[in-house]
Short mmCIF file of all heavy atoms in Angstrom, two decimals:
data_model
loop_
_atom_site.label_atom_id
_atom_site.label_comp_id
_atom_site.label_asym_id
_atom_site.label_seq_id
_atom_site.Cartn_x
_atom_site.Cartn_y
_atom_site.Cartn_z
N VAL A 536 -6.95 6.03 49.71
CA VAL A 536 -5.97 5.12 49.10
C VAL A 536 -4.54 5.57 49.46
O VAL A 536 -3.73 4.86 50.01
CB VAL A 536 -6.09 5.01 47.58
CG1 VAL A 536 -4.95 4.27 46.99
CG2 VAL A 536 -7.43 4.35 47.22
N VAL A 537 -4.19 6.83 49.14
CA VAL A 537 -2.79 7.27 49.23
C VAL A 537 -2.45 7.88 50.61
O VAL A 537 -1.30 7.68 51.08
CB VAL A 537 -2.55 8.28 48.10
CG1 VAL A 537 -3.22 9.61 48.29
CG2 VAL A 537 -1.01 8.50 47.94
N GLU A 538 -3.36 8.52 51.25
CA GLU A 538 -3.04 9.20 52.55
C GLU A 538 -2.61 8.19 53.61
O GLU A 538 -1.66 8.47 54.32
CB GLU A 538 -4.23 10.06 53.01
CG GLU A 538 -4.52 11.22 52.13
CD GLU A 538 -3.41 12.23 52.02
OE1 GLU A 538 -2.53 12.20 52.87
OE2 GLU A 538 -3.47 13.10 51.11
N PRO A 539 -3.32 6.99 53.73
CA PRO A 539 -2.85 6.07 54.76
C PRO A 539 -1.45 5.53 54.53
O PRO A 539 -0.71 5.24 55.45
CB PRO A 539 -3.93 4.92 54.65
CG PRO A 539 -5.11 5.57 54.08
CD PRO A 539 -4.55 6.59 53.15
N VAL A 540 -1.05 5.42 53.22
CA VAL A 540 0.33 4.95 52.92
C VAL A 540 1.38 5.94 53.44
O VAL A 540 2.34 5.51 54.08
CB VAL A 540 0.44 4.75 51.40
CG1 VAL A 540 1.92 4.42 51.05
CG2 VAL A 540 -0.46 3.63 50.95
N PHE A 541 1.13 7.20 53.19
CA PHE A 541 2.07 8.23 53.70
C PHE A 541 2.04 8.23 55.24
O PHE A 541 3.07 8.44 55.87
CB PHE A 541 1.68 9.61 53.15
CG PHE A 541 2.04 9.77 51.67
CD1 PHE A 541 1.24 10.54 50.82
CD2 PHE A 541 3.18 9.19 51.17
CE1 PHE A 541 1.55 10.69 49.49
CE2 PHE A 541 3.48 9.32 49.78
CZ PHE A 541 2.69 10.09 48.98
N GLY A 542 0.86 8.12 55.76
CA GLY A 542 0.76 8.17 57.27
C GLY A 542 1.51 7.03 57.88
O GLY A 542 2.17 7.22 58.89
N GLN A 543 1.39 5.82 57.30
CA GLN A 543 2.09 4.68 57.85
C GLN A 543 3.62 4.89 57.76
O GLN A 543 4.34 4.53 58.64
CB GLN A 543 1.68 3.41 57.13
CG GLN A 543 2.24 2.12 57.70
CD GLN A 543 1.75 0.88 56.96
OE1 GLN A 543 1.86 0.83 55.75
NE2 GLN A 543 1.22 -0.07 57.69
N ALA A 544 4.08 5.41 56.59
CA ALA A 544 5.53 5.61 56.40
C ALA A 544 6.07 6.66 57.37
O ALA A 544 7.12 6.47 57.96
CB ALA A 544 5.80 6.06 54.97
N LYS A 545 5.28 7.69 57.61
CA LYS A 545 5.78 8.81 58.46
C LYS A 545 5.65 8.49 59.98
O LYS A 545 6.52 8.83 60.78
CB LYS A 545 5.09 10.09 58.11
CG LYS A 545 5.53 10.69 56.78
CD LYS A 545 4.97 12.04 56.55
CE LYS A 545 5.64 12.74 55.36
NZ LYS A 545 5.20 14.13 55.18
N GLU A 546 4.51 7.90 60.33
CA GLU A 546 4.28 7.66 61.75
C GLU A 546 4.84 6.32 62.22
O GLU A 546 5.61 6.34 63.19
CB GLU A 546 2.80 7.70 62.04
CG GLU A 546 2.09 8.99 61.77
CD GLU A 546 2.62 10.12 62.70
OE1 GLU A 546 3.01 9.76 63.86
OE2 GLU A 546 2.66 11.25 62.29
N ASN A 547 4.53 5.21 61.54
CA ASN A 547 5.01 3.89 62.04
C ASN A 547 6.46 3.70 61.69
O ASN A 547 7.16 3.00 62.47
CB ASN A 547 4.16 2.78 61.37
CG ASN A 547 2.66 2.92 61.79
OD1 ASN A 547 2.36 3.73 62.64
ND2 ASN A 547 1.89 2.10 61.17
N ARG A 548 6.98 4.24 60.56
CA ARG A 548 8.35 3.96 60.19
C ARG A 548 9.22 5.17 60.31
O ARG A 548 10.36 5.22 59.82
CB ARG A 548 8.34 3.41 58.75
CG ARG A 548 7.69 2.04 58.75
CD ARG A 548 7.63 1.35 57.38
NE ARG A 548 7.00 0.09 57.56
CZ ARG A 548 6.05 -0.40 56.80
NH1 ARG A 548 5.66 0.28 55.73
NH2 ARG A 548 5.49 -1.61 57.01
N ARG A 549 8.68 6.24 60.88
CA ARG A 549 9.42 7.52 61.18
C ARG A 549 10.12 8.09 60.01
O ARG A 549 11.22 8.63 60.10
CB ARG A 549 10.46 7.15 62.32
CG ARG A 549 9.82 6.58 63.57
CD ARG A 549 10.89 6.13 64.52
NE ARG A 549 10.30 5.34 65.62
CZ ARG A 549 10.98 4.64 66.53
NH1 ARG A 549 12.29 4.64 66.42
NH2 ARG A 549 10.37 4.02 67.47
N PHE A 550 9.45 8.05 58.88
CA PHE A 550 10.00 8.56 57.66
C PHE A 550 9.64 10.03 57.48
O PHE A 550 8.93 10.46 56.62
CB PHE A 550 9.50 7.77 56.43
CG PHE A 550 10.11 8.15 55.09
CD1 PHE A 550 11.47 8.22 54.95
CD2 PHE A 550 9.27 8.37 54.02
CE1 PHE A 550 11.97 8.59 53.75
CE2 PHE A 550 9.81 8.73 52.82
CZ PHE A 550 11.16 8.78 52.65
N ARG A 551 10.16 10.84 58.42
CA ARG A 551 9.86 12.30 58.40
C ARG A 551 11.06 13.12 57.97
O ARG A 551 10.93 14.28 57.62
CB ARG A 551 9.41 12.73 59.79
CG ARG A 551 8.06 12.18 60.19
CD ARG A 551 7.48 12.88 61.44
NE ARG A 551 6.09 12.55 61.61
CZ ARG A 551 5.09 13.13 61.09
NH1 ARG A 551 5.33 14.06 60.19
NH2 ARG A 551 3.86 12.73 61.31
N ARG A 552 12.23 12.50 58.01
CA ARG A 552 13.48 13.21 57.58
C ARG A 552 14.45 12.22 56.98
O ARG A 552 14.63 11.10 57.55
CB ARG A 552 14.06 13.92 58.76
CG ARG A 552 15.21 14.84 58.41
CD ARG A 552 15.65 15.70 59.59
NE ARG A 552 16.66 16.67 59.20
CZ ARG A 552 17.12 17.61 59.97
NH1 ARG A 552 16.76 17.71 61.23
NH2 ARG A 552 18.03 18.44 59.56
N PHE A 553 15.11 12.61 55.95
CA PHE A 553 16.06 11.74 55.26
C PHE A 553 17.39 11.73 56.14
O PHE A 553 17.64 12.68 56.88
CB PHE A 553 16.41 12.25 53.89
CG PHE A 553 15.26 12.11 52.93
CD1 PHE A 553 14.58 13.20 52.50
CD2 PHE A 553 14.95 10.85 52.42
CE1 PHE A 553 13.51 13.06 51.56
CE2 PHE A 553 13.90 10.69 51.53
CZ PHE A 553 13.17 11.77 51.10
N VAL A 554 18.08 10.64 56.04
CA VAL A 554 19.43 10.54 56.66
C VAL A 554 20.57 10.59 55.66
O VAL A 554 21.73 10.70 56.01
CB VAL A 554 19.56 9.29 57.57
CG1 VAL A 554 18.56 9.36 58.70
CG2 VAL A 554 19.37 8.05 56.73
N LEU A 555 20.22 10.46 54.34
CA LEU A 555 21.19 10.54 53.28
C LEU A 555 21.06 11.85 52.55
O LEU A 555 19.90 12.35 52.37
CB LEU A 555 21.01 9.40 52.24
CG LEU A 555 21.13 7.96 52.84
CD1 LEU A 555 20.98 6.97 51.66
CD2 LEU A 555 22.49 7.75 53.54
N ARG A 556 22.12 12.47 52.18
CA ARG A 556 22.08 13.79 51.56
C ARG A 556 21.87 13.74 50.01
O ARG A 556 22.20 12.77 49.38
CB ARG A 556 23.44 14.53 51.81
CG ARG A 556 23.67 14.92 53.26
CD ARG A 556 24.91 15.73 53.43
NE ARG A 556 25.22 16.01 54.81
CZ ARG A 556 24.68 17.08 55.46
NH1 ARG A 556 23.85 17.93 54.81
NH2 ARG A 556 24.98 17.27 56.75
N GLY A 557 21.32 14.83 49.56
CA GLY A 557 21.17 15.02 48.11
C GLY A 557 19.94 14.27 47.55
O GLY A 557 19.32 13.45 48.21
N LEU A 558 19.61 14.66 46.31
CA LEU A 558 18.45 14.03 45.64
C LEU A 558 18.67 12.54 45.47
O LEU A 558 17.74 11.72 45.57
CB LEU A 558 18.22 14.73 44.32
CG LEU A 558 16.94 14.35 43.52
CD1 LEU A 558 15.69 14.66 44.38
CD2 LEU A 558 16.87 15.08 42.22
N LYS A 559 19.91 12.14 45.18
CA LYS A 559 20.25 10.68 45.04
C LYS A 559 19.96 9.95 46.32
O LYS A 559 19.37 8.90 46.35
CB LYS A 559 21.69 10.53 44.57
CG LYS A 559 22.10 9.05 44.50
CD LYS A 559 23.57 8.95 44.12
CE LYS A 559 23.98 7.47 44.07
NZ LYS A 559 25.42 7.32 43.74
N GLY A 560 20.45 10.55 47.44
CA GLY A 560 20.23 9.93 48.76
C GLY A 560 18.78 9.82 49.13
O GLY A 560 18.33 8.79 49.68
N ALA A 561 18.03 10.87 48.78
CA ALA A 561 16.55 10.88 49.07
C ALA A 561 15.86 9.80 48.28
O ALA A 561 15.00 9.10 48.77
CB ALA A 561 15.97 12.27 48.74
N SER A 562 16.32 9.59 47.01
CA SER A 562 15.74 8.58 46.15
C SER A 562 16.04 7.19 46.70
O SER A 562 15.21 6.27 46.67
CB SER A 562 16.24 8.73 44.68
OG SER A 562 15.87 9.97 44.19
N ILE A 563 17.26 6.95 47.16
CA ILE A 563 17.65 5.67 47.71
C ILE A 563 16.80 5.35 48.91
O ILE A 563 16.20 4.22 49.02
CB ILE A 563 19.10 5.71 48.12
CG1 ILE A 563 19.99 5.78 46.87
CG2 ILE A 563 19.48 4.46 48.97
CD1 ILE A 563 21.48 5.99 47.22
N GLU A 564 16.65 6.28 49.88
CA GLU A 564 15.89 6.01 51.04
C GLU A 564 14.38 5.80 50.75
O GLU A 564 13.71 4.96 51.39
CB GLU A 564 16.08 7.12 52.06
CG GLU A 564 17.30 7.09 52.87
CD GLU A 564 17.17 7.76 54.21
OE1 GLU A 564 16.70 7.16 55.18
OE2 GLU A 564 17.49 8.96 54.22
N SER A 565 13.85 6.60 49.85
CA SER A 565 12.45 6.45 49.47
C SER A 565 12.20 5.04 48.87
O SER A 565 11.19 4.41 49.20
CB SER A 565 12.05 7.53 48.52
OG SER A 565 12.15 8.85 49.09
N ALA A 566 13.10 4.61 48.04
CA ALA A 566 12.96 3.28 47.43
C ALA A 566 13.01 2.21 48.52
O ALA A 566 12.21 1.23 48.45
CB ALA A 566 14.07 3.08 46.41
N LEU A 567 13.87 2.39 49.52
CA LEU A 567 13.95 1.40 50.55
C LEU A 567 12.67 1.39 51.44
O LEU A 567 12.18 0.37 51.80
CB LEU A 567 15.22 1.72 51.43
CG LEU A 567 15.68 0.65 52.39
CD1 LEU A 567 15.74 -0.73 51.75
CD2 LEU A 567 17.01 1.01 53.00
N VAL A 568 12.18 2.61 51.74
CA VAL A 568 10.97 2.69 52.58
C VAL A 568 9.78 2.02 51.94
O VAL A 568 9.03 1.28 52.55
CB VAL A 568 10.66 4.16 52.90
CG1 VAL A 568 9.23 4.33 53.48
CG2 VAL A 568 11.66 4.75 53.87
N PHE A 569 9.59 2.22 50.65
CA PHE A 569 8.42 1.69 50.01
C PHE A 569 8.65 0.28 49.45
O PHE A 569 7.68 -0.45 49.20
CB PHE A 569 7.95 2.63 48.84
CG PHE A 569 7.35 3.90 49.45
CD1 PHE A 569 8.09 5.11 49.37
CD2 PHE A 569 6.19 3.91 50.15
CE1 PHE A 569 7.61 6.28 49.88
CE2 PHE A 569 5.68 5.09 50.66
CZ PHE A 569 6.35 6.26 50.56
N LEU A 570 9.91 -0.14 49.37
CA LEU A 570 10.21 -1.55 49.17
C LEU A 570 9.72 -2.34 50.45
O LEU A 570 9.07 -3.37 50.30
CB LEU A 570 11.75 -1.78 49.02
CG LEU A 570 12.24 -3.22 49.15
CD1 LEU A 570 11.70 -4.06 48.01
CD2 LEU A 570 13.82 -3.21 49.16
N VAL A 571 10.01 -1.77 51.59
CA VAL A 571 9.55 -2.36 52.87
C VAL A 571 8.05 -2.44 52.86
O VAL A 571 7.45 -3.46 53.22
CB VAL A 571 10.06 -1.54 54.07
CG1 VAL A 571 9.39 -1.98 55.37
CG2 VAL A 571 11.57 -1.68 54.20
N HIS A 572 7.39 -1.36 52.44
CA HIS A 572 5.93 -1.25 52.45
C HIS A 572 5.36 -2.39 51.60
O HIS A 572 4.44 -3.09 52.01
CB HIS A 572 5.50 0.09 51.87
CG HIS A 572 4.01 0.23 51.73
ND1 HIS A 572 3.21 0.66 52.77
CD2 HIS A 572 3.17 -0.01 50.65
CE1 HIS A 572 1.94 0.67 52.38
NE2 HIS A 572 1.90 0.30 51.07
N ASN A 573 5.86 -2.58 50.36
CA ASN A 573 5.30 -3.59 49.42
C ASN A 573 5.63 -4.99 49.95
O ASN A 573 4.78 -5.88 49.84
CB ASN A 573 5.89 -3.38 48.07
CG ASN A 573 5.31 -2.17 47.34
OD1 ASN A 573 4.32 -1.57 47.81
ND2 ASN A 573 5.87 -1.78 46.26
N VAL A 574 6.88 -5.23 50.43
CA VAL A 574 7.24 -6.50 50.90
C VAL A 574 6.34 -6.97 52.02
O VAL A 574 5.90 -8.12 52.10
CB VAL A 574 8.71 -6.59 51.25
CG1 VAL A 574 9.05 -7.83 52.12
CG2 VAL A 574 9.65 -6.49 50.03
N PHE A 575 6.06 -6.10 52.94
CA PHE A 575 5.20 -6.44 54.09
C PHE A 575 3.77 -6.64 53.71
O PHE A 575 3.02 -7.26 54.42
CB PHE A 575 5.37 -5.44 55.21
CG PHE A 575 6.47 -5.79 56.16
CD1 PHE A 575 7.82 -5.38 55.89
CD2 PHE A 575 6.24 -6.55 57.29
CE1 PHE A 575 8.84 -5.78 56.74
CE2 PHE A 575 7.25 -6.89 58.12
CZ PHE A 575 8.58 -6.52 57.84
N LYS A 576 3.35 -6.04 52.55
CA LYS A 576 2.00 -6.43 52.02
C LYS A 576 1.92 -7.91 51.66
O LYS A 576 0.99 -8.57 51.94
CB LYS A 576 1.73 -5.52 50.79
CG LYS A 576 1.42 -4.07 51.09
CD LYS A 576 0.07 -3.95 51.79
CE LYS A 576 -0.22 -2.44 52.07
NZ LYS A 576 -1.51 -2.31 52.80
N VAL A 577 3.00 -8.38 51.04
CA VAL A 577 3.06 -9.78 50.64
C VAL A 577 3.24 -10.62 51.88
O VAL A 577 2.61 -11.71 52.03
CB VAL A 577 4.28 -10.03 49.69
CG1 VAL A 577 4.30 -11.50 49.27
CG2 VAL A 577 4.14 -9.14 48.44
N VAL A 578 4.04 -10.20 52.89
CA VAL A 578 4.20 -10.92 54.16
C VAL A 578 2.87 -11.08 54.84
O VAL A 578 2.52 -12.17 55.32
CB VAL A 578 5.24 -10.19 55.05
CG1 VAL A 578 5.18 -10.80 56.44
CG2 VAL A 578 6.63 -10.28 54.51
N SER A 579 2.07 -10.02 54.91
CA SER A 579 0.80 -10.07 55.57
C SER A 579 -0.17 -11.05 54.87
O SER A 579 -0.87 -11.82 55.51
CB SER A 579 0.17 -8.67 55.62
OG SER A 579 0.94 -7.75 56.32
N THR A 580 -0.15 -11.04 53.56
CA THR A 580 -0.96 -11.97 52.79
C THR A 580 -0.52 -13.39 53.03
O THR A 580 -1.38 -14.28 53.20
CB THR A 580 -0.82 -11.61 51.25
OG1 THR A 580 -1.22 -10.28 51.04
CG2 THR A 580 -1.73 -12.55 50.46
N ARG A 581 0.76 -13.59 53.05
CA ARG A 581 1.31 -14.94 53.27
C ARG A 581 0.95 -15.40 54.68
O ARG A 581 0.60 -16.62 54.89
CB ARG A 581 2.85 -14.97 53.09
CG ARG A 581 3.52 -16.26 53.26
CD ARG A 581 3.43 -17.02 51.95
NE ARG A 581 4.12 -18.30 52.06
CZ ARG A 581 3.55 -19.45 52.38
NH1 ARG A 581 2.22 -19.48 52.60
NH2 ARG A 581 4.23 -20.57 52.47
N ALA A 582 0.96 -14.53 55.65
CA ALA A 582 0.64 -14.88 57.03
C ALA A 582 -0.84 -15.28 57.14
O ALA A 582 -1.17 -16.23 57.83
CB ALA A 582 0.94 -13.72 57.97
N CYS A 583 -1.68 -14.55 56.44
CA CYS A 583 -3.14 -14.87 56.46
C CYS A 583 -3.37 -16.28 55.84
O CYS A 583 -4.27 -16.98 56.21
CB CYS A 583 -3.93 -13.81 55.69
SG CYS A 583 -3.95 -12.22 56.53
N GLN A 584 -2.59 -16.63 54.82
CA GLN A 584 -2.79 -17.93 54.20
C GLN A 584 -2.37 -19.08 55.06
O GLN A 584 -2.88 -20.19 54.96
CB GLN A 584 -1.97 -17.94 52.86
CG GLN A 584 -2.50 -17.01 51.81
CD GLN A 584 -1.55 -16.91 50.60
OE1 GLN A 584 -0.41 -17.36 50.64
NE2 GLN A 584 -2.03 -16.24 49.55
N LEU A 585 -1.38 -18.76 56.00
CA LEU A 585 -0.92 -19.85 56.83
C LEU A 585 -1.80 -20.06 58.06
O LEU A 585 -1.70 -21.10 58.72
CB LEU A 585 0.53 -19.53 57.30
CG LEU A 585 1.58 -19.46 56.25
CD1 LEU A 585 2.92 -18.97 56.82
CD2 LEU A 585 1.75 -20.81 55.59
N VAL A 586 -2.65 -19.07 58.39
CA VAL A 586 -3.50 -19.13 59.56
C VAL A 586 -4.60 -20.18 59.30
O VAL A 586 -5.24 -20.11 58.22
CB VAL A 586 -4.10 -17.79 59.92
CG1 VAL A 586 -5.11 -17.93 61.02
CG2 VAL A 586 -3.03 -16.84 60.34
#
Side-chain angles (χ1 to χ4, degrees):
V536 172
V537 70
E538 296 296 346
V540 173
F541 288 145
Q543 187 178 50
K545 288 189 169 184
E546 294 298 329
N547 298 352
R548 294 180 179 134
R549 303 171 189 171
F550 184 50
R551 292 191 170 276
R552 187 172 186 175
F553 291 107
V554 297
L555 301 181
R556 291 185 183 274
L558 189 59
K559 178 184 176 182
S562 300
I563 291 171
E564 278 206 87
S565 298
L567 193 49
V568 167
F569 291 107
L570 166 66
V571 170
H572 176 87
N573 287 350
V574 165
F575 271 87
K576 287 291 181 182
V577 181
V578 168
S579 299
T580 302
R581 184 83 178 93
C583 292
Q584 293 172 349
L585 295 175
V586 174

